[in-house]
mmCIF file of all heavy atoms in Angstrom:
data_model
loop_
_atom_site.group_PDB
_atom_site.id
_atom_site.type_symbol
_atom_site.label_atom_id
_atom_site.label_comp_id
_atom_site.label_asym_id
_atom_site.label_seq_id
_atom_site.Cartn_x
_atom_site.Cartn_y
_atom_site.Cartn_z
ATOM 1 N N THR A 43 270.168 77.879 22.112
ATOM 2 C CA THR A 43 269.463 78.996 22.705
ATOM 3 C C THR A 43 270.399 79.831 23.575
ATOM 4 O O THR A 43 270.428 81.083 23.571
ATOM 5 C CB THR A 43 268.234 78.581 23.441
ATOM 6 O OG1 THR A 43 267.342 77.909 22.574
ATOM 7 C CG2 THR A 43 267.500 79.758 24.085
ATOM 8 N N TRP A 44 271.213 79.097 24.356
ATOM 9 C CA TRP A 44 272.135 79.692 25.282
ATOM 10 C C TRP A 44 273.159 80.519 24.448
ATOM 11 O O TRP A 44 273.465 81.679 24.741
ATOM 12 C CB TRP A 44 272.854 78.733 26.119
ATOM 13 C CG TRP A 44 274.011 79.299 26.938
ATOM 14 C CD1 TRP A 44 273.914 79.896 28.166
ATOM 15 C CD2 TRP A 44 275.395 79.340 26.564
ATOM 16 N NE1 TRP A 44 275.151 80.272 28.585
ATOM 17 C CE2 TRP A 44 276.077 80.008 27.632
ATOM 18 C CE3 TRP A 44 276.081 78.912 25.525
ATOM 19 C CZ2 TRP A 44 277.479 80.179 27.584
ATOM 20 C CZ3 TRP A 44 277.470 79.137 25.423
ATOM 21 C CH2 TRP A 44 278.096 79.728 26.471
ATOM 22 N N PHE A 45 273.719 79.865 23.397
ATOM 23 C CA PHE A 45 274.612 80.527 22.518
ATOM 24 C C PHE A 45 274.086 81.865 21.922
ATOM 25 O O PHE A 45 274.716 82.844 21.896
ATOM 26 C CB PHE A 45 275.032 79.531 21.376
ATOM 27 C CG PHE A 45 276.003 80.172 20.381
ATOM 28 C CD1 PHE A 45 277.395 80.174 20.594
ATOM 29 C CD2 PHE A 45 275.490 80.766 19.259
ATOM 30 C CE1 PHE A 45 278.216 80.738 19.660
ATOM 31 C CE2 PHE A 45 276.374 81.333 18.317
ATOM 32 C CZ PHE A 45 277.727 81.289 18.544
ATOM 33 N N SER A 46 272.812 81.758 21.517
ATOM 34 C CA SER A 46 272.169 82.903 20.928
ATOM 35 C C SER A 46 271.957 84.057 21.945
ATOM 36 O O SER A 46 271.982 85.226 21.655
ATOM 37 C CB SER A 46 270.826 82.500 20.314
ATOM 38 O OG SER A 46 270.220 83.620 19.644
ATOM 39 N N ASN A 47 271.704 83.648 23.208
ATOM 40 C CA ASN A 47 271.427 84.657 24.225
ATOM 41 C C ASN A 47 272.722 85.238 24.722
ATOM 42 O O ASN A 47 272.809 86.502 25.015
ATOM 43 C CB ASN A 47 270.770 83.983 25.469
ATOM 44 C CG ASN A 47 269.295 83.861 25.275
ATOM 45 O OD1 ASN A 47 268.647 84.645 24.611
ATOM 46 N ND2 ASN A 47 268.682 82.796 25.885
ATOM 47 N N VAL A 48 273.823 84.461 24.766
ATOM 48 C CA VAL A 48 275.072 84.935 25.410
ATOM 49 C C VAL A 48 276.180 85.362 24.500
ATOM 50 O O VAL A 48 276.836 86.324 24.672
ATOM 51 C CB VAL A 48 275.524 83.802 26.382
ATOM 52 C CG1 VAL A 48 276.848 84.147 27.012
ATOM 53 C CG2 VAL A 48 274.469 83.522 27.455
ATOM 54 N N ILE A 49 276.460 84.503 23.453
ATOM 55 C CA ILE A 49 277.615 84.720 22.625
ATOM 56 C C ILE A 49 277.282 85.606 21.405
ATOM 57 O O ILE A 49 277.972 86.557 21.142
ATOM 58 C CB ILE A 49 278.195 83.363 22.214
ATOM 59 C CG1 ILE A 49 278.460 82.454 23.404
ATOM 60 C CG2 ILE A 49 279.572 83.608 21.421
ATOM 61 C CD1 ILE A 49 279.406 83.051 24.439
ATOM 62 N N ARG A 50 276.330 85.198 20.669
ATOM 63 C CA ARG A 50 276.022 85.923 19.400
ATOM 64 C C ARG A 50 274.534 85.690 19.078
ATOM 65 O O ARG A 50 274.085 84.629 18.886
ATOM 66 C CB ARG A 50 276.858 85.364 18.229
ATOM 67 C CG ARG A 50 277.737 86.445 17.597
ATOM 68 C CD ARG A 50 276.988 87.291 16.621
ATOM 69 N NE ARG A 50 276.901 86.663 15.299
ATOM 70 C CZ ARG A 50 275.815 86.715 14.583
ATOM 71 N NH1 ARG A 50 274.724 87.339 15.013
ATOM 72 N NH2 ARG A 50 275.795 86.177 13.439
ATOM 73 N N LYS A 51 273.795 86.807 19.084
ATOM 74 C CA LYS A 51 272.355 86.726 18.797
ATOM 75 C C LYS A 51 272.145 86.242 17.330
ATOM 76 O O LYS A 51 272.707 86.758 16.388
ATOM 77 C CB LYS A 51 271.736 88.142 18.899
ATOM 78 C CG LYS A 51 270.184 88.161 18.848
ATOM 79 C CD LYS A 51 269.676 87.443 20.121
ATOM 80 C CE LYS A 51 268.154 87.494 20.115
ATOM 81 N NZ LYS A 51 267.641 86.801 21.325
ATOM 82 N N LEU A 52 271.423 85.168 17.245
ATOM 83 C CA LEU A 52 271.134 84.539 15.990
ATOM 84 C C LEU A 52 269.796 84.879 15.445
ATOM 85 O O LEU A 52 268.823 84.841 16.206
ATOM 86 C CB LEU A 52 271.239 82.994 16.089
ATOM 87 C CG LEU A 52 272.577 82.376 16.609
ATOM 88 C CD1 LEU A 52 272.426 80.850 16.620
ATOM 89 C CD2 LEU A 52 273.738 82.848 15.809
ATOM 90 N N ASN A 53 269.715 85.336 14.207
ATOM 91 C CA ASN A 53 268.428 85.505 13.608
ATOM 92 C C ASN A 53 267.927 84.114 13.157
ATOM 93 O O ASN A 53 268.646 83.178 13.207
ATOM 94 C CB ASN A 53 268.458 86.530 12.462
ATOM 95 C CG ASN A 53 269.407 86.135 11.347
ATOM 96 O OD1 ASN A 53 269.508 84.918 11.009
ATOM 97 N ND2 ASN A 53 270.143 87.139 10.837
ATOM 98 N N GLU A 54 266.695 84.094 12.658
ATOM 99 C CA GLU A 54 266.083 82.826 12.282
ATOM 100 C C GLU A 54 266.851 82.091 11.194
ATOM 101 O O GLU A 54 267.098 80.905 11.224
ATOM 102 C CB GLU A 54 264.649 83.058 11.793
ATOM 103 C CG GLU A 54 263.880 81.754 11.555
ATOM 104 C CD GLU A 54 262.413 81.973 11.167
ATOM 105 O OE1 GLU A 54 262.024 83.199 11.216
ATOM 106 O OE2 GLU A 54 261.749 81.051 10.855
ATOM 107 N N GLU A 55 267.311 82.862 10.218
ATOM 108 C CA GLU A 55 268.066 82.255 9.110
ATOM 109 C C GLU A 55 269.407 81.641 9.631
ATOM 110 O O GLU A 55 269.783 80.514 9.258
ATOM 111 C CB GLU A 55 268.415 83.298 8.060
ATOM 112 C CG GLU A 55 269.200 82.788 6.868
ATOM 113 C CD GLU A 55 269.457 83.873 5.812
ATOM 114 O OE1 GLU A 55 268.985 84.976 5.974
ATOM 115 O OE2 GLU A 55 270.212 83.594 4.848
ATOM 116 N N GLU A 56 270.113 82.402 10.482
ATOM 117 C CA GLU A 56 271.352 81.879 11.028
ATOM 118 C C GLU A 56 271.208 80.647 11.846
ATOM 119 O O GLU A 56 271.973 79.694 11.814
ATOM 120 C CB GLU A 56 272.098 82.997 11.845
ATOM 121 C CG GLU A 56 272.586 84.155 11.004
ATOM 122 C CD GLU A 56 273.068 85.313 11.850
ATOM 123 O OE1 GLU A 56 272.507 85.461 12.998
ATOM 124 O OE2 GLU A 56 273.907 86.048 11.403
ATOM 125 N N ARG A 57 270.080 80.688 12.660
ATOM 126 C CA ARG A 57 269.850 79.553 13.558
ATOM 127 C C ARG A 57 269.545 78.250 12.702
ATOM 128 O O ARG A 57 270.084 77.248 12.951
ATOM 129 C CB ARG A 57 268.681 79.837 14.465
ATOM 130 C CG ARG A 57 268.353 78.742 15.461
ATOM 131 C CD ARG A 57 267.099 79.050 16.257
ATOM 132 N NE ARG A 57 266.853 77.978 17.155
ATOM 133 C CZ ARG A 57 267.220 77.901 18.389
ATOM 134 N NH1 ARG A 57 267.930 78.875 18.953
ATOM 135 N NH2 ARG A 57 266.944 76.878 19.154
ATOM 136 N N ASN A 58 268.675 78.468 11.682
ATOM 137 C CA ASN A 58 268.298 77.334 10.862
ATOM 138 C C ASN A 58 269.579 76.776 10.082
ATOM 139 O O ASN A 58 269.679 75.536 9.945
ATOM 140 C CB ASN A 58 267.232 77.759 9.847
ATOM 141 C CG ASN A 58 265.929 77.976 10.557
ATOM 142 O OD1 ASN A 58 265.669 77.515 11.615
ATOM 143 N ND2 ASN A 58 265.072 78.801 9.832
ATOM 144 N N LEU A 59 270.475 77.668 9.645
ATOM 145 C CA LEU A 59 271.672 77.242 8.987
ATOM 146 C C LEU A 59 272.569 76.425 9.902
ATOM 147 O O LEU A 59 273.109 75.390 9.543
ATOM 148 C CB LEU A 59 272.429 78.416 8.377
ATOM 149 C CG LEU A 59 273.776 78.093 7.770
ATOM 150 C CD1 LEU A 59 273.631 77.150 6.571
ATOM 151 C CD2 LEU A 59 274.470 79.420 7.362
ATOM 152 N N PHE A 60 272.714 76.924 11.128
ATOM 153 C CA PHE A 60 273.518 76.238 12.154
ATOM 154 C C PHE A 60 272.907 74.834 12.424
ATOM 155 O O PHE A 60 273.673 73.851 12.417
ATOM 156 C CB PHE A 60 273.543 77.115 13.467
ATOM 157 C CG PHE A 60 274.498 76.590 14.482
ATOM 158 C CD1 PHE A 60 275.595 75.792 14.139
ATOM 159 C CD2 PHE A 60 274.343 77.028 15.759
ATOM 160 C CE1 PHE A 60 276.458 75.386 15.084
ATOM 161 C CE2 PHE A 60 275.269 76.623 16.746
ATOM 162 C CZ PHE A 60 276.308 75.811 16.393
ATOM 163 N N ILE A 61 271.610 74.726 12.626
ATOM 164 C CA ILE A 61 270.988 73.458 12.860
ATOM 165 C C ILE A 61 271.173 72.518 11.676
ATOM 166 O O ILE A 61 271.443 71.317 11.873
ATOM 167 C CB ILE A 61 269.473 73.660 13.157
ATOM 168 C CG1 ILE A 61 269.318 74.347 14.541
ATOM 169 C CG2 ILE A 61 268.783 72.318 13.177
ATOM 170 C CD1 ILE A 61 267.879 74.773 14.781
ATOM 171 N N GLU A 62 271.044 73.081 10.495
ATOM 172 C CA GLU A 62 271.211 72.194 9.263
ATOM 173 C C GLU A 62 272.616 71.649 9.211
ATOM 174 O O GLU A 62 272.823 70.380 8.907
ATOM 175 C CB GLU A 62 270.930 73.038 8.007
ATOM 176 C CG GLU A 62 271.029 72.205 6.749
ATOM 177 C CD GLU A 62 269.954 71.173 6.650
ATOM 178 O OE1 GLU A 62 268.884 71.256 7.347
ATOM 179 O OE2 GLU A 62 270.186 70.183 5.885
ATOM 180 N N GLN A 63 273.664 72.417 9.520
ATOM 181 C CA GLN A 63 274.998 71.923 9.509
ATOM 182 C C GLN A 63 275.189 70.846 10.602
ATOM 183 O O GLN A 63 275.943 69.836 10.366
ATOM 184 C CB GLN A 63 275.969 73.073 9.755
ATOM 185 C CG GLN A 63 275.997 74.114 8.688
ATOM 186 C CD GLN A 63 276.451 73.553 7.331
ATOM 187 O OE1 GLN A 63 277.149 72.559 7.268
ATOM 188 N NE2 GLN A 63 276.085 74.207 6.230
ATOM 189 N N ILE A 64 274.587 71.032 11.756
ATOM 190 C CA ILE A 64 274.690 70.005 12.794
ATOM 191 C C ILE A 64 274.022 68.683 12.348
ATOM 192 O O ILE A 64 274.486 67.600 12.577
ATOM 193 C CB ILE A 64 274.071 70.523 14.085
ATOM 194 C CG1 ILE A 64 274.864 71.667 14.660
ATOM 195 C CG2 ILE A 64 273.892 69.408 15.170
ATOM 196 C CD1 ILE A 64 274.262 72.318 15.847
ATOM 197 N N ARG A 65 272.858 68.833 11.681
ATOM 198 C CA ARG A 65 272.166 67.652 11.135
ATOM 199 C C ARG A 65 273.032 66.863 10.181
ATOM 200 O O ARG A 65 273.124 65.601 10.291
ATOM 201 C CB ARG A 65 270.892 68.037 10.421
ATOM 202 C CG ARG A 65 269.732 68.453 11.339
ATOM 203 C CD ARG A 65 268.607 68.946 10.496
ATOM 204 N NE ARG A 65 267.389 69.259 11.231
ATOM 205 C CZ ARG A 65 266.378 69.998 10.860
ATOM 206 N NH1 ARG A 65 266.416 70.461 9.562
ATOM 207 N NH2 ARG A 65 265.350 70.250 11.556
ATOM 208 N N LYS A 66 273.654 67.522 9.296
ATOM 209 C CA LYS A 66 274.533 66.915 8.298
ATOM 210 C C LYS A 66 275.728 66.241 8.944
ATOM 211 O O LYS A 66 276.138 65.178 8.462
ATOM 212 C CB LYS A 66 274.980 67.901 7.244
ATOM 213 C CG LYS A 66 273.833 68.445 6.425
ATOM 214 C CD LYS A 66 274.387 69.474 5.344
ATOM 215 C CE LYS A 66 273.269 69.964 4.469
ATOM 216 N NZ LYS A 66 273.781 71.045 3.483
ATOM 217 N N GLY A 67 276.254 66.784 10.040
ATOM 218 C CA GLY A 67 277.326 66.086 10.693
ATOM 219 C C GLY A 67 278.689 66.266 10.042
ATOM 220 O O GLY A 67 279.616 65.624 10.496
ATOM 221 N N ASP A 68 278.818 67.066 9.033
ATOM 222 C CA ASP A 68 280.108 67.272 8.391
ATOM 223 C C ASP A 68 280.861 68.263 9.182
ATOM 224 O O ASP A 68 280.513 69.441 9.281
ATOM 225 C CB ASP A 68 279.895 67.796 6.984
ATOM 226 C CG ASP A 68 281.171 67.892 6.176
ATOM 227 O OD1 ASP A 68 282.032 68.648 6.571
ATOM 228 O OD2 ASP A 68 281.327 67.127 5.237
ATOM 229 N N VAL A 69 281.959 67.800 9.821
ATOM 230 C CA VAL A 69 282.685 68.637 10.751
ATOM 231 C C VAL A 69 283.245 69.900 10.068
ATOM 232 O O VAL A 69 283.241 70.998 10.541
ATOM 233 C CB VAL A 69 283.882 67.900 11.422
ATOM 234 C CG1 VAL A 69 284.729 68.800 12.220
ATOM 235 C CG2 VAL A 69 283.351 66.742 12.238
ATOM 236 N N LYS A 70 283.743 69.745 8.835
ATOM 237 C CA LYS A 70 284.322 70.845 8.066
ATOM 238 C C LYS A 70 283.300 71.912 7.844
ATOM 239 O O LYS A 70 283.562 73.110 8.059
ATOM 240 C CB LYS A 70 284.936 70.375 6.768
ATOM 241 C CG LYS A 70 285.551 71.461 5.962
ATOM 242 C CD LYS A 70 286.206 70.888 4.692
ATOM 243 C CE LYS A 70 286.818 72.006 3.859
ATOM 244 N NZ LYS A 70 287.452 71.530 2.596
ATOM 245 N N HIS A 71 282.101 71.512 7.382
ATOM 246 C CA HIS A 71 281.045 72.455 7.096
ATOM 247 C C HIS A 71 280.538 73.097 8.420
ATOM 248 O O HIS A 71 280.176 74.253 8.423
ATOM 249 C CB HIS A 71 279.910 71.786 6.338
ATOM 250 C CG HIS A 71 280.194 71.625 4.877
ATOM 251 N ND1 HIS A 71 280.719 70.407 4.402
ATOM 252 C CD2 HIS A 71 280.169 72.475 3.840
ATOM 253 C CE1 HIS A 71 280.918 70.494 3.111
ATOM 254 N NE2 HIS A 71 280.589 71.730 2.742
#
């Protein structure tokens, strides 16, 4: 949420994609 407020506003699709990549834990992805 801080990143979205301060660095780059994330839309819902971008936020969900970011969360999904964190869940998977693949550093490259």
Side-chain angles (χ1 to χ4, degrees):
T43 299
W44 173 86
F45 176 87
S46 183
N47 280 329
V48 174
I49 307 301
R50 238 279 278 138
K51 190 68 177 177
L52 303 180
N53 58 41
E54 184 175 357
E55 181 181 353
E56 291 170 332
R57 183 186 179 96
N58 289 339
L59 176 61
F60 189 21
I61 290 173
E62 183 64 24
Q63 295 297 338
I64 293 174
R65 282 174 177 165
K66 291 179 178 178
D68 186 295
V69 174
K70 182 178 179 180
H71 283 96

